[in-house]
Short mmCIF file of all heavy atoms in Angstrom, two decimals:
data_model
loop_
_atom_site.label_atom_id
_atom_site.label_comp_id
_atom_site.label_asym_id
_atom_site.label_seq_id
_atom_site.Cartn_x
_atom_site.Cartn_y
_atom_site.Cartn_z
N VAL L 1 53.53 114.60 122.71
CA VAL L 1 52.56 114.95 123.74
C VAL L 1 52.34 116.45 123.72
O VAL L 1 53.30 117.24 123.79
CB VAL L 1 53.05 114.55 125.15
CG1 VAL L 1 51.95 114.83 126.18
CG2 VAL L 1 53.46 113.10 125.22
N ASP L 2 51.09 116.86 123.61
CA ASP L 2 50.71 118.27 123.74
C ASP L 2 50.06 118.48 125.10
O ASP L 2 49.24 117.66 125.53
CB ASP L 2 49.74 118.67 122.63
CG ASP L 2 50.42 118.81 121.28
OD1 ASP L 2 50.93 119.90 121.01
OD2 ASP L 2 50.46 117.81 120.53
N PHE L 3 50.42 119.56 125.77
CA PHE L 3 49.90 119.88 127.10
C PHE L 3 49.02 121.12 126.99
O PHE L 3 49.45 122.16 126.50
CB PHE L 3 51.05 120.13 128.08
CG PHE L 3 51.95 118.94 128.26
CD1 PHE L 3 53.01 118.72 127.39
CD2 PHE L 3 51.73 118.03 129.28
CE1 PHE L 3 53.84 117.62 127.53
CE2 PHE L 3 52.55 116.92 129.44
CZ PHE L 3 53.61 116.73 128.56
N ARG L 4 47.78 121.01 127.47
CA ARG L 4 46.82 122.09 127.33
C ARG L 4 46.00 122.29 128.61
O ARG L 4 45.72 121.34 129.34
CB ARG L 4 45.83 121.81 126.18
CG ARG L 4 46.47 121.67 124.81
CD ARG L 4 46.92 123.01 124.26
NE ARG L 4 47.44 122.87 122.91
CZ ARG L 4 48.72 122.64 122.61
NH1 ARG L 4 49.60 122.51 123.60
NH2 ARG L 4 49.12 122.52 121.37
N THR L 5 45.60 123.53 128.82
CA THR L 5 44.60 123.82 129.85
C THR L 5 43.23 123.63 129.23
O THR L 5 43.00 124.07 128.10
CB THR L 5 44.76 125.26 130.36
OG1 THR L 5 46.12 125.47 130.76
CG2 THR L 5 43.84 125.52 131.54
N ARG L 6 42.32 122.98 129.93
CA ARG L 6 41.03 122.66 129.34
C ARG L 6 40.13 123.89 129.16
O ARG L 6 40.02 124.74 130.06
CB ARG L 6 40.28 121.63 130.18
CG ARG L 6 40.77 120.21 129.98
CD ARG L 6 39.81 119.21 130.58
NE ARG L 6 39.70 119.32 132.02
CZ ARG L 6 40.53 118.74 132.89
NH1 ARG L 6 41.55 118.04 132.47
NH2 ARG L 6 40.34 118.88 134.19
N THR L 7 39.48 123.93 128.00
CA THR L 7 38.41 124.89 127.73
C THR L 7 37.31 124.12 127.01
O THR L 7 37.44 122.93 126.72
CB THR L 7 38.90 126.04 126.83
OG1 THR L 7 39.24 125.51 125.52
CG2 THR L 7 40.14 126.73 127.42
N THR L 8 36.23 124.79 126.70
CA THR L 8 35.14 124.12 125.99
C THR L 8 35.45 123.92 124.51
O THR L 8 34.75 123.18 123.82
CB THR L 8 33.83 124.92 126.11
OG1 THR L 8 34.05 126.26 125.63
CG2 THR L 8 33.37 124.96 127.56
N THR L 9 36.51 124.57 124.00
CA THR L 9 36.87 124.43 122.59
C THR L 9 38.27 123.88 122.39
O THR L 9 38.65 123.58 121.27
CB THR L 9 36.78 125.79 121.87
OG1 THR L 9 37.65 126.73 122.52
CG2 THR L 9 35.37 126.32 121.89
N GLY L 10 39.07 123.74 123.45
CA GLY L 10 40.44 123.27 123.32
C GLY L 10 40.51 121.88 122.73
O GLY L 10 39.81 120.96 123.16
N GLY L 11 41.37 121.68 121.71
CA GLY L 11 41.53 120.37 121.09
C GLY L 11 40.58 120.14 119.94
O GLY L 11 40.68 119.14 119.24
N LEU L 12 39.65 121.05 119.70
CA LEU L 12 38.67 120.87 118.64
C LEU L 12 39.36 120.80 117.28
O LEU L 12 40.17 121.66 116.93
CB LEU L 12 37.68 122.05 118.66
CG LEU L 12 36.36 121.85 117.92
CD1 LEU L 12 35.56 120.73 118.56
CD2 LEU L 12 35.55 123.14 117.93
N GLY L 13 39.07 119.74 116.51
CA GLY L 13 39.65 119.59 115.19
C GLY L 13 40.97 118.84 115.18
O GLY L 13 41.50 118.54 114.11
N GLU L 14 41.53 118.53 116.34
CA GLU L 14 42.80 117.80 116.40
C GLU L 14 42.53 116.32 116.67
O GLU L 14 41.49 115.95 117.21
CB GLU L 14 43.69 118.37 117.50
CG GLU L 14 44.05 119.83 117.30
CD GLU L 14 44.89 120.38 118.44
OE1 GLU L 14 46.13 120.20 118.41
OE2 GLU L 14 44.31 120.98 119.37
N GLY L 15 43.50 115.47 116.28
CA GLY L 15 43.33 114.04 116.47
C GLY L 15 44.45 113.45 117.30
O GLY L 15 45.62 113.76 117.07
N PHE L 16 44.10 112.56 118.25
CA PHE L 16 45.09 111.96 119.14
C PHE L 16 44.76 110.49 119.36
O PHE L 16 43.65 110.04 119.09
CB PHE L 16 45.10 112.69 120.49
CG PHE L 16 45.44 114.15 120.39
CD1 PHE L 16 44.44 115.11 120.25
CD2 PHE L 16 46.76 114.57 120.40
CE1 PHE L 16 44.74 116.45 120.13
CE2 PHE L 16 47.08 115.91 120.29
CZ PHE L 16 46.08 116.86 120.16
N ASP L 17 45.76 109.76 119.88
CA ASP L 17 45.56 108.35 120.25
C ASP L 17 45.23 108.21 121.73
O ASP L 17 44.49 107.30 122.12
CB ASP L 17 46.83 107.54 119.95
CG ASP L 17 47.21 107.58 118.49
OD1 ASP L 17 46.39 107.14 117.66
OD2 ASP L 17 48.32 108.07 118.17
N LEU L 18 45.79 109.09 122.55
CA LEU L 18 45.59 109.05 123.99
C LEU L 18 45.19 110.43 124.48
O LEU L 18 45.83 111.43 124.16
CB LEU L 18 46.89 108.62 124.69
CG LEU L 18 46.90 108.71 126.23
CD1 LEU L 18 45.87 107.76 126.84
CD2 LEU L 18 48.30 108.41 126.77
N LEU L 19 44.11 110.47 125.25
CA LEU L 19 43.64 111.71 125.88
C LEU L 19 43.74 111.55 127.38
O LEU L 19 43.14 110.63 127.96
CB LEU L 19 42.19 111.99 125.47
CG LEU L 19 41.46 113.12 126.22
CD1 LEU L 19 42.15 114.46 126.00
CD2 LEU L 19 39.99 113.18 125.79
N VAL L 20 44.50 112.42 128.03
CA VAL L 20 44.65 112.40 129.47
C VAL L 20 43.87 113.55 130.08
O VAL L 20 44.05 114.71 129.70
CB VAL L 20 46.13 112.51 129.89
CG1 VAL L 20 46.26 112.61 131.41
CG2 VAL L 20 46.92 111.32 129.36
N ILE L 21 43.00 113.22 131.02
CA ILE L 21 42.22 114.23 131.75
C ILE L 21 42.79 114.31 133.16
O ILE L 21 42.42 113.54 134.04
CB ILE L 21 40.72 113.87 131.78
CG1 ILE L 21 40.19 113.60 130.37
CG2 ILE L 21 39.93 114.98 132.47
CD1 ILE L 21 40.26 114.78 129.44
N ASP L 22 43.74 115.21 133.36
CA ASP L 22 44.32 115.43 134.69
C ASP L 22 43.37 116.34 135.48
O ASP L 22 42.58 117.07 134.89
CB ASP L 22 45.69 116.10 134.51
CG ASP L 22 46.57 115.99 135.75
OD1 ASP L 22 46.08 115.53 136.80
OD2 ASP L 22 47.75 116.39 135.66
N GLU L 23 43.44 116.28 136.81
CA GLU L 23 42.50 117.02 137.67
C GLU L 23 41.05 116.73 137.22
O GLU L 23 40.23 117.62 137.04
CB GLU L 23 42.77 118.53 137.62
CG GLU L 23 44.14 118.91 138.14
CD GLU L 23 44.41 120.40 138.05
OE1 GLU L 23 44.26 120.97 136.96
OE2 GLU L 23 44.79 121.00 139.08
N ALA L 24 40.77 115.44 137.05
CA ALA L 24 39.50 115.01 136.47
C ALA L 24 38.30 115.39 137.31
O ALA L 24 37.17 115.45 136.79
CB ALA L 24 39.51 113.51 136.23
N GLN L 25 38.51 115.67 138.60
CA GLN L 25 37.38 116.09 139.45
C GLN L 25 36.79 117.42 138.99
O GLN L 25 35.68 117.79 139.38
CB GLN L 25 37.81 116.18 140.92
CG GLN L 25 38.77 117.30 141.25
CD GLN L 25 40.23 116.94 141.00
OE1 GLN L 25 40.53 115.89 140.43
NE2 GLN L 25 41.14 117.79 141.44
N GLU L 26 37.52 118.14 138.11
CA GLU L 26 37.04 119.42 137.59
C GLU L 26 36.57 119.32 136.13
O GLU L 26 36.28 120.33 135.50
CB GLU L 26 38.16 120.47 137.68
CG GLU L 26 38.77 120.64 139.06
CD GLU L 26 37.81 121.20 140.10
OE1 GLU L 26 36.77 121.76 139.70
OE2 GLU L 26 38.10 121.08 141.30
N TYR L 27 36.47 118.11 135.61
CA TYR L 27 36.11 117.88 134.20
C TYR L 27 34.62 118.07 134.01
O TYR L 27 33.81 117.37 134.60
CB TYR L 27 36.53 116.46 133.82
CG TYR L 27 36.53 116.12 132.36
CD1 TYR L 27 36.83 117.04 131.38
CD2 TYR L 27 36.25 114.81 131.96
CE1 TYR L 27 36.85 116.69 130.04
CE2 TYR L 27 36.28 114.44 130.63
CZ TYR L 27 36.57 115.38 129.68
OH TYR L 27 36.59 115.02 128.35
N THR L 28 34.23 119.02 133.15
CA THR L 28 32.82 119.36 132.97
C THR L 28 32.22 118.68 131.74
O THR L 28 32.93 118.22 130.85
CB THR L 28 32.65 120.88 132.84
OG1 THR L 28 33.25 121.31 131.60
CG2 THR L 28 33.29 121.62 134.00
N ASP L 29 30.90 118.66 131.69
CA ASP L 29 30.20 118.07 130.55
C ASP L 29 30.51 118.81 129.25
O ASP L 29 30.66 118.18 128.20
CB ASP L 29 28.70 118.08 130.80
CG ASP L 29 28.28 117.10 131.89
OD1 ASP L 29 28.26 115.89 131.63
OD2 ASP L 29 27.98 117.56 133.01
N ASP L 30 30.61 120.12 129.30
CA ASP L 30 30.93 120.90 128.10
C ASP L 30 32.30 120.53 127.56
O ASP L 30 32.49 120.41 126.34
CB ASP L 30 30.87 122.40 128.41
CG ASP L 30 29.45 122.92 128.56
OD1 ASP L 30 28.51 122.20 128.14
OD2 ASP L 30 29.28 124.03 129.10
N GLN L 31 33.26 120.38 128.47
CA GLN L 31 34.61 120.00 128.05
C GLN L 31 34.63 118.60 127.46
O GLN L 31 35.27 118.34 126.44
CB GLN L 31 35.57 120.11 129.22
CG GLN L 31 35.80 121.53 129.71
CD GLN L 31 36.46 121.59 131.06
OE1 GLN L 31 36.68 120.57 131.73
NE2 GLN L 31 36.79 122.80 131.51
N GLU L 32 33.90 117.68 128.09
CA GLU L 32 33.86 116.31 127.59
C GLU L 32 33.24 116.25 126.19
O GLU L 32 33.71 115.50 125.32
CB GLU L 32 33.07 115.41 128.54
CG GLU L 32 33.10 113.95 128.09
CD GLU L 32 32.10 113.07 128.81
OE1 GLU L 32 31.00 113.55 129.12
OE2 GLU L 32 32.42 111.90 129.05
N SER L 33 32.20 117.04 125.96
CA SER L 33 31.52 116.99 124.67
C SER L 33 32.44 117.41 123.53
O SER L 33 32.25 117.02 122.38
CB SER L 33 30.28 117.90 124.69
OG SER L 33 30.65 119.25 124.82
N THR L 34 33.47 118.20 123.85
CA THR L 34 34.46 118.61 122.86
C THR L 34 35.61 117.62 122.77
O THR L 34 35.97 117.15 121.69
CB THR L 34 35.02 120.00 123.21
OG1 THR L 34 33.96 120.96 123.19
CG2 THR L 34 36.09 120.42 122.21
N LEU L 35 36.17 117.26 123.92
CA LEU L 35 37.42 116.50 123.92
C LEU L 35 37.26 115.03 123.56
O LEU L 35 38.19 114.43 123.01
CB LEU L 35 38.09 116.63 125.29
CG LEU L 35 38.70 117.99 125.60
CD1 LEU L 35 39.15 118.06 127.06
CD2 LEU L 35 39.87 118.28 124.67
N LYS L 36 36.12 114.43 123.85
CA LYS L 36 36.00 112.99 123.61
C LYS L 36 36.13 112.62 122.14
O LYS L 36 36.49 111.48 121.80
CB LYS L 36 34.68 112.46 124.17
CG LYS L 36 33.44 112.98 123.48
CD LYS L 36 32.18 112.42 124.16
CE LYS L 36 30.91 112.91 123.50
NZ LYS L 36 29.70 112.39 124.19
N TYR L 37 35.87 113.58 121.25
CA TYR L 37 35.97 113.29 119.82
C TYR L 37 37.40 113.43 119.28
O TYR L 37 37.66 113.08 118.13
CB TYR L 37 35.04 114.22 119.04
CG TYR L 37 33.58 113.95 119.34
CD1 TYR L 37 32.82 114.86 120.07
CD2 TYR L 37 32.96 112.78 118.91
CE1 TYR L 37 31.49 114.61 120.36
CE2 TYR L 37 31.63 112.52 119.20
CZ TYR L 37 30.90 113.44 119.93
OH TYR L 37 29.58 113.18 120.22
N THR L 38 38.33 113.91 120.11
CA THR L 38 39.71 114.08 119.64
C THR L 38 40.40 112.74 119.43
O THR L 38 41.43 112.68 118.76
CB THR L 38 40.54 114.94 120.62
OG1 THR L 38 40.60 114.28 121.88
CG2 THR L 38 39.93 116.31 120.79
N VAL L 39 39.87 111.66 120.00
CA VAL L 39 40.47 110.34 119.81
C VAL L 39 39.61 109.44 118.93
O VAL L 39 39.90 108.25 118.79
CB VAL L 39 40.74 109.64 121.18
CG1 VAL L 39 41.77 110.40 121.98
CG2 VAL L 39 39.44 109.47 121.97
N SER L 40 38.58 109.98 118.33
CA SER L 40 37.62 109.16 117.58
C SER L 40 38.21 108.55 116.31
O SER L 40 37.72 107.53 115.82
CB SER L 40 36.36 109.97 117.24
OG SER L 40 36.71 111.10 116.45
N ASP L 41 39.26 109.15 115.76
CA ASP L 41 39.86 108.63 114.53
C ASP L 41 41.00 107.66 114.77
O ASP L 41 41.54 107.08 113.83
CB ASP L 41 40.37 109.79 113.65
CG ASP L 41 39.23 110.57 113.02
OD1 ASP L 41 38.13 110.00 112.89
OD2 ASP L 41 39.45 111.74 112.65
#
């Protein structure tokens, strides 16, 4: 498990099986456009 503070580029290029969005009420469209692809593989 890797723990990260969200940014618009955090996680870019990395691959995971599970993505957890904690404090999801603060989850922005820019962050989603980056992070959603980290589990695509």
Side-chain angles (χ1 to χ4, degrees):
V1 185
D2 286 273
F3 299 86
R4 298 286 184 269
T5 307
R6 282 193 296 275
T7 65
T8 55
T9 58
L12 198 63
E14 299 178 85
F16 300 92
D17 300 300
L18 172 63
L19 170 62
V20 175
I21 307 297
D22 198 352
E23 298 179 307
Q25 70 275 7
E26 306 294 344
Y27 193 33
T28 67
D29 290 285
D30 286 344
Q31 293 166 354
E32 184 192 36
S33 66
T34 298
L35 288 172
K36 66 182 180 181
Y37 294 110
T38 62
V39 295
S40 59
D41 288 338

